[in-house]
Short mmCIF file of all heavy atoms in Angstrom, two decimals:
data_model
loop_
_atom_site.label_atom_id
_atom_site.label_comp_id
_atom_site.label_asym_id
_atom_site.label_seq_id
_atom_site.Cartn_x
_atom_site.Cartn_y
_atom_site.Cartn_z
N PRO F 315 -10.44 -29.68 -1.46
CA PRO F 315 -11.52 -30.28 -0.63
C PRO F 315 -12.88 -29.68 -0.94
O PRO F 315 -12.98 -28.51 -1.40
CB PRO F 315 -11.10 -29.99 0.78
CG PRO F 315 -10.16 -28.81 0.71
CD PRO F 315 -9.50 -28.93 -0.60
N THR F 316 -13.89 -30.48 -0.68
CA THR F 316 -15.29 -30.05 -0.86
C THR F 316 -16.06 -30.27 0.42
O THR F 316 -15.40 -30.59 1.40
CB THR F 316 -15.95 -30.80 -1.99
OG1 THR F 316 -15.96 -32.19 -1.69
CG2 THR F 316 -15.23 -30.58 -3.34
N ASP F 317 -17.37 -30.04 0.41
CA ASP F 317 -18.16 -30.34 1.61
C ASP F 317 -17.90 -31.79 2.04
O ASP F 317 -18.23 -32.74 1.31
CB ASP F 317 -19.63 -30.05 1.29
CG ASP F 317 -20.52 -30.39 2.50
OD1 ASP F 317 -20.00 -30.86 3.57
OD2 ASP F 317 -21.73 -30.20 2.39
N ARG F 320 -20.29 -34.79 1.46
CA ARG F 320 -20.52 -35.45 0.16
C ARG F 320 -19.49 -36.55 -0.03
O ARG F 320 -18.53 -36.44 -0.80
CB ARG F 320 -20.43 -34.47 -1.02
CG ARG F 320 -21.56 -33.52 -1.07
CD ARG F 320 -21.78 -32.94 -2.46
NE ARG F 320 -22.42 -33.91 -3.32
CZ ARG F 320 -22.72 -33.71 -4.62
NH1 ARG F 320 -22.45 -32.52 -5.14
NH2 ARG F 320 -23.32 -34.59 -5.36
N GLY F 327 -25.04 -32.03 -0.70
CA GLY F 327 -24.01 -31.22 0.04
C GLY F 327 -24.62 -29.82 0.29
O GLY F 327 -25.75 -29.47 -0.06
N ASP F 328 -23.76 -29.05 0.92
CA ASP F 328 -24.14 -27.66 1.23
C ASP F 328 -23.00 -26.73 0.80
O ASP F 328 -21.95 -26.74 1.45
CB ASP F 328 -24.40 -27.58 2.74
CG ASP F 328 -24.70 -26.15 3.21
OD1 ASP F 328 -24.78 -25.27 2.36
OD2 ASP F 328 -24.98 -25.95 4.40
N PRO F 329 -23.26 -25.90 -0.17
CA PRO F 329 -22.18 -25.01 -0.64
C PRO F 329 -21.55 -24.13 0.43
O PRO F 329 -20.36 -23.82 0.39
CB PRO F 329 -22.89 -24.13 -1.72
CG PRO F 329 -24.00 -24.98 -2.20
CD PRO F 329 -24.46 -25.78 -1.00
N ALA F 330 -22.38 -23.79 1.46
CA ALA F 330 -21.84 -22.95 2.55
C ALA F 330 -20.66 -23.63 3.25
O ALA F 330 -19.92 -22.93 3.94
CB ALA F 330 -22.96 -22.58 3.47
N CYS F 332 -18.38 -25.45 1.73
CA CYS F 332 -17.44 -25.94 0.69
C CYS F 332 -16.59 -24.80 0.14
O CYS F 332 -17.14 -23.80 -0.31
CB CYS F 332 -18.26 -26.55 -0.45
SG CYS F 332 -17.21 -27.09 -1.79
N PRO F 333 -15.30 -24.91 0.17
CA PRO F 333 -14.43 -23.87 -0.38
C PRO F 333 -14.63 -23.60 -1.91
O PRO F 333 -14.36 -22.49 -2.33
CB PRO F 333 -13.01 -24.35 -0.03
CG PRO F 333 -13.07 -25.71 0.49
CD PRO F 333 -14.51 -26.01 0.81
N VAL F 334 -15.11 -24.61 -2.56
CA VAL F 334 -15.31 -24.41 -4.04
C VAL F 334 -16.37 -23.33 -4.24
O VAL F 334 -16.25 -22.50 -5.17
CB VAL F 334 -15.77 -25.73 -4.69
CG1 VAL F 334 -16.03 -25.52 -6.20
CG2 VAL F 334 -14.71 -26.82 -4.51
N TRP F 335 -17.37 -23.34 -3.35
CA TRP F 335 -18.45 -22.33 -3.47
C TRP F 335 -17.83 -20.89 -3.36
O TRP F 335 -18.17 -20.02 -4.12
CB TRP F 335 -19.48 -22.54 -2.39
CG TRP F 335 -20.43 -21.41 -2.30
CD1 TRP F 335 -20.58 -20.54 -1.24
CD2 TRP F 335 -21.34 -20.95 -3.31
NE1 TRP F 335 -21.51 -19.62 -1.55
CE2 TRP F 335 -22.00 -19.79 -2.77
CE3 TRP F 335 -21.68 -21.38 -4.61
CZ2 TRP F 335 -22.97 -19.14 -3.49
CZ3 TRP F 335 -22.64 -20.71 -5.33
CH2 TRP F 335 -23.29 -19.58 -4.75
N HIS F 338 -16.65 -19.93 -6.60
CA HIS F 338 -17.75 -19.55 -7.47
C HIS F 338 -18.18 -18.08 -7.17
O HIS F 338 -18.54 -17.33 -8.08
CB HIS F 338 -18.99 -20.44 -7.30
CG HIS F 338 -18.87 -21.73 -8.06
ND1 HIS F 338 -18.90 -21.80 -9.40
CD2 HIS F 338 -18.70 -23.01 -7.65
CE1 HIS F 338 -18.73 -23.03 -9.84
NE2 HIS F 338 -18.63 -23.85 -8.80
N VAL F 350 -25.04 -24.33 -9.16
CA VAL F 350 -24.29 -24.95 -8.09
C VAL F 350 -25.19 -25.21 -6.89
O VAL F 350 -25.22 -26.29 -6.34
CB VAL F 350 -23.12 -24.07 -7.70
CG1 VAL F 350 -22.38 -24.64 -6.45
CG2 VAL F 350 -22.12 -23.95 -8.79
N GLY F 353 -27.81 -27.89 -7.72
CA GLY F 353 -27.15 -29.17 -8.08
C GLY F 353 -26.46 -29.82 -6.87
O GLY F 353 -26.50 -31.07 -6.66
N CYS F 354 -25.88 -29.04 -6.03
CA CYS F 354 -25.16 -29.52 -4.84
C CYS F 354 -26.20 -30.07 -3.83
O CYS F 354 -26.04 -31.21 -3.39
CB CYS F 354 -24.30 -28.42 -4.25
SG CYS F 354 -23.40 -28.86 -2.78
N ARG F 355 -27.19 -29.25 -3.55
CA ARG F 355 -28.15 -29.68 -2.49
C ARG F 355 -28.94 -30.88 -2.92
O ARG F 355 -29.44 -31.66 -2.04
CB ARG F 355 -29.10 -28.49 -2.23
CG ARG F 355 -28.40 -27.35 -1.49
CD ARG F 355 -29.33 -26.15 -1.36
NE ARG F 355 -28.60 -24.98 -1.06
CZ ARG F 355 -28.09 -24.66 0.14
NH1 ARG F 355 -28.26 -25.51 1.15
NH2 ARG F 355 -27.36 -23.60 0.33
N ILE F 359 -25.52 -32.83 -9.36
CA ILE F 359 -24.21 -32.62 -10.02
C ILE F 359 -23.14 -33.21 -9.10
O ILE F 359 -23.31 -33.25 -7.88
CB ILE F 359 -23.86 -31.12 -10.31
CG1 ILE F 359 -23.83 -30.31 -9.02
CG2 ILE F 359 -24.81 -30.54 -11.32
CD1 ILE F 359 -23.24 -28.89 -9.19
N GLY F 360 -22.03 -33.64 -9.72
CA GLY F 360 -20.90 -34.10 -8.89
C GLY F 360 -19.93 -32.94 -8.62
O GLY F 360 -20.04 -31.90 -9.26
N CYS F 361 -19.05 -33.21 -7.69
CA CYS F 361 -18.14 -32.07 -7.33
C CYS F 361 -17.22 -31.71 -8.49
O CYS F 361 -16.85 -30.56 -8.65
CB CYS F 361 -17.37 -32.44 -6.06
SG CYS F 361 -18.40 -32.42 -4.61
N LEU F 362 -16.83 -32.70 -9.27
CA LEU F 362 -15.99 -32.38 -10.44
C LEU F 362 -16.73 -31.51 -11.43
O LEU F 362 -16.16 -30.58 -12.04
CB LEU F 362 -15.41 -33.64 -11.05
CG LEU F 362 -14.17 -34.20 -10.32
CD1 LEU F 362 -13.76 -35.54 -11.00
CD2 LEU F 362 -13.03 -33.30 -10.23
N CYS F 364 -19.01 -29.47 -10.72
CA CYS F 364 -19.18 -28.18 -10.10
C CYS F 364 -17.89 -27.38 -10.25
O CYS F 364 -17.93 -26.14 -10.35
CB CYS F 364 -19.51 -28.43 -8.65
SG CYS F 364 -19.64 -26.92 -7.66
N LYS F 365 -16.73 -28.05 -10.17
CA LYS F 365 -15.47 -27.37 -10.22
C LYS F 365 -15.12 -26.88 -11.65
O LYS F 365 -14.31 -26.01 -11.77
CB LYS F 365 -14.33 -28.24 -9.71
CG LYS F 365 -14.39 -28.51 -8.20
CD LYS F 365 -13.40 -29.58 -7.79
CE LYS F 365 -13.27 -29.68 -6.30
NZ LYS F 365 -12.31 -30.67 -5.89
FE1 SF4 Y 30 -18.74 -28.06 -3.18
FE2 SF4 Y 30 -19.80 -27.96 -5.57
FE3 SF4 Y 30 -19.30 -30.28 -4.44
FE4 SF4 Y 30 -21.27 -28.76 -3.55
S1 SF4 Y 30 -21.12 -29.72 -5.56
S2 SF4 Y 30 -19.75 -29.89 -2.29
S3 SF4 Y 30 -20.45 -26.78 -3.81
S4 SF4 Y 30 -17.84 -28.79 -5.03
#
Side-chain angles (χ1 to χ4, degrees):
T316 60
D317 177 357
R320 290 204 76 180
D328 178 0
C332 177
V334 177
W335 169 247
H338 279 293
V350 172
C354 178
R355 291 173 197 283
I359 60 170
C361 289
L362 279 177
C364 177
K365 287 171 172 180

